[in-house]
Amino acid sequence: MNLKIVALAGGVGGAKLAHGLAKILSPENLTIIVNTGDDFEHHGLYISPDLDTVCYTLAGLANPVTGWGRVNESWNATENIAKLGGQTWFQLGDRDLATHLMRTSRLKKGDSLSAITHDFCHAWGIEHRIIPMTDDYMPTIVDTVEMGELPFQEYFVHQRCKPTVKGFRFEGVESVRPAEGVEKAINDADAVVICPSNPWVSIAPILAATKLNSTREAGFTSKKNPIVALSPIIGGEAVKGPAAKMYRELGIEPSALAVAKGYEGFVDGFIFDKVDAVLEPEIQNLGMKTMIIDSYMKDINGRERVAKDVLKFIHTLL
Ligand code: FO1
């Protein structure tokens, strides 16, 4: 059976699994809904880092070292911005700049982020559907002990995730609506896959913006379309990024179990790494079916391997 899947993805970790799924599933069977809580304005340009990371990854254009930005990038603009006394803590490569320039000018003309993303995907040869979680602006704000509230990129890149996290807020969450096509994709899907992205600042904004969490509780999405999540925490640490540090600072021991607890009552199946196999009984006690795999996606083969495991697991839940 050809499964119809919706994947919820943040940046680098989410992009890797989305890429693996895209290698296996046909374009009509995969929709990727992407976090835009990291979006911000820099040098007057609208930057959507996770959307670009997912698109560049699927198009084969991503920088393989950083995971974000473009491969074979040059930095003439950044060097000249520095020469003119401008801020360069957030680096925009020359090729990447074209994306931000075009997106910003189209947004100013009144085009929606989802329509622009659709056109960019077409230009980059991406056939699978990639949709921002919302066309509205819902920036993630990180509340910190040392510096108070910080916009996400100020915390993440400028302060290098050093401030101690107290909490998170999604500005304007009360009034945002899911982007065009999001609800239909979720309702038409055989299953929703929560990629191994940061639960606090990648997945939580998507659930909040799409109202997937509450519609599920209200019974609008059929129980027949299971929700499956993958742990971004392996052996108590995040593969990349500050997720484990965030858990610690919020008073929670980072583990696959902690991730599963955050999804309790919402997720039907949970996939986690073999190094955490000992946690299986406790995760099952949360009412989730489990699958233990080698979840580390070192290269494209790893991405495809994990994607195949995810689909195999979903078949057992249908
Ligand atoms: N991350 C960095 O650590 N430093 C940067 O200068 C930087 C620039 C950048 C430019 C475009 C883009 O799409 C992403 C960029 N990122 C950079 C990554 C980004 O800040 C984060 O990885 C995500 O927001 C978290 O998923």
Side-chain angles (χ1 to χ4, degrees):
M1 178 194 161
N2 250 340
L3 289 177
K4 232 182 175 53
I5 300 293
V6 162
L8 312 184
V12 180
K16 285 182 184 172
L17 180 59
H19 192 201
L21 289 166
K23 288 272 169 202
I24 298 171
L25 295 167
S26 59
E28 35 326 331
N29 284 338
L30 176 65
T31 300
I32 304 154
I33 298 172
V34 181
N35 171 43
T36 57
D38 298 10
D39 293 14
F40 78 128
E41 218 180 273
H42 194 56
H43 297 311
L45 298 175
Y46 186 92
I47 320 282
S48 193
D50 286 358
L51 214 40
D52 291 341
T53 297
V54 172
C55 289
Y56 291 160
T57 302
L58 262 69
L61 298 172
N63 179 326
V65 180
T66 55
W68 54 264
R70 295 278 298 255
V71 69
N72 297 326
E73 190 56 287
S74 56
W75 301 93
N76 295 302
T78 293
E79 280 162 29
N80 283 280
I81 288 169
K83 206 169 274 178
L84 296 173
Q87 292 195 343
T88 54
W89 60 266
F90 196 84
Q91 307 227 312
L92 298 175
D94 299 334
R95 285 186 163 82
D96 191 31
L97 255 179
T99 306
H100 312 309
L101 285 166
M102 283 302 294
R103 177 187 291 125
T104 307
S105 66
R106 286 194 54 183
L107 283 170
K108 282 200 171 143
K109 271 193 238 150
D111 291 345
S112 69
L113 187 59
S114 49
I116 299 166
T117 305
H118 174 271
D119 294 348
F120 284 8
C121 284
H122 181 72
W124 288 323
I126 301 168
E127 290 183 284
H128 296 82
R129 230 160 133 225
I130 300 175
I131 321 181
M133 63 189 196
T134 178
D135 283 323
D136 302 324
Y137 188 48
M138 193 193 91
T140 295
I141 309 291
V142 185
D143 193 11
T144 70
V145 174
E146 299 85 355
M147 304 182 77
E149 287 200 329
L150 296 173
F152 183 78
Q153 296 298 342
E154 179 66 29
Y155 160 81
F156 193 91
V157 177
H158 203 183
Q159 302 303 328
R160 295 166 194 214
C161 309
K162 280 192 186 134
T164 314
V165 163
K166 277 203 292 186
F168 309 96
R169 182 166 73 73
F170 309 125
E171 206 162 277
V173 63
E174 307 77 22
S175 54
V176 303
R177 289 145 305 152
E180 170 90 36
V182 164
E183 282 169 321
K184 182 168 169 23
I186 291 172
N187 284 327
D188 288 353
D190 293 309
V192 174
V193 175
I194 298 180
C195 290
S197 297
N198 187 315
W200 302 103
V201 292
S202 295
I203 301 303
I206 304 178
L207 299 181
T210 60
K211 320 282 186 272
L212 179 58
N213 205 342
S214 52
T215 47
R216 176 62 180 257
E217 276 161 21
F220 297 147
T221 25
S222 147
K223 262 283 169 192
K224 272 187 270 154
N225 70 12
I227 300 180
V228 167
L230 286 92
S231 176
I233 303 282
I234 303 180
E237 289 302 330
V239 176
K240 193 175 193 293
K245 179 178 179 282
M246 288 173 172
Y247 275 101
R248 269 185 228 107
E249 290 170 357
L250 294 166
I252 304 167
E253 192 191 321
S255 68
L257 176 62
V259 177
K261 278 186 179 162
Y263 295 140
E264 189 177 357
F266 170 60
V267 152
D268 305 284
F270 192 72
I271 301 178
F272 56 105
D273 195 85
K274 58 188 181 337
V275 303
D276 298 314
V278 66
L279 299 172
E280 187 171 41
E282 280 177 279
I283 294 173
Q284 287 179 342
N285 277 343
L286 300 172
M288 295 173 190
K289 298 266 171 42
T290 51
M291 185 187 221
I292 298 172
I293 64 165
D294 172 4
S295 68
Y296 188 65
M297 294 177 275
K298 195 176 80 193
D299 51 23
I300 182 63
N301 294 331
R303 294 173 191 182
E304 265 192 67
R305 186 196 65 242
V306 173
K308 276 183 192 150
D309 287 338
V310 170
L311 299 180
K312 218 184 292 167
F313 185 47
I314 289 168
H315 275 293
T316 69
L317 301 176
L318 292 174

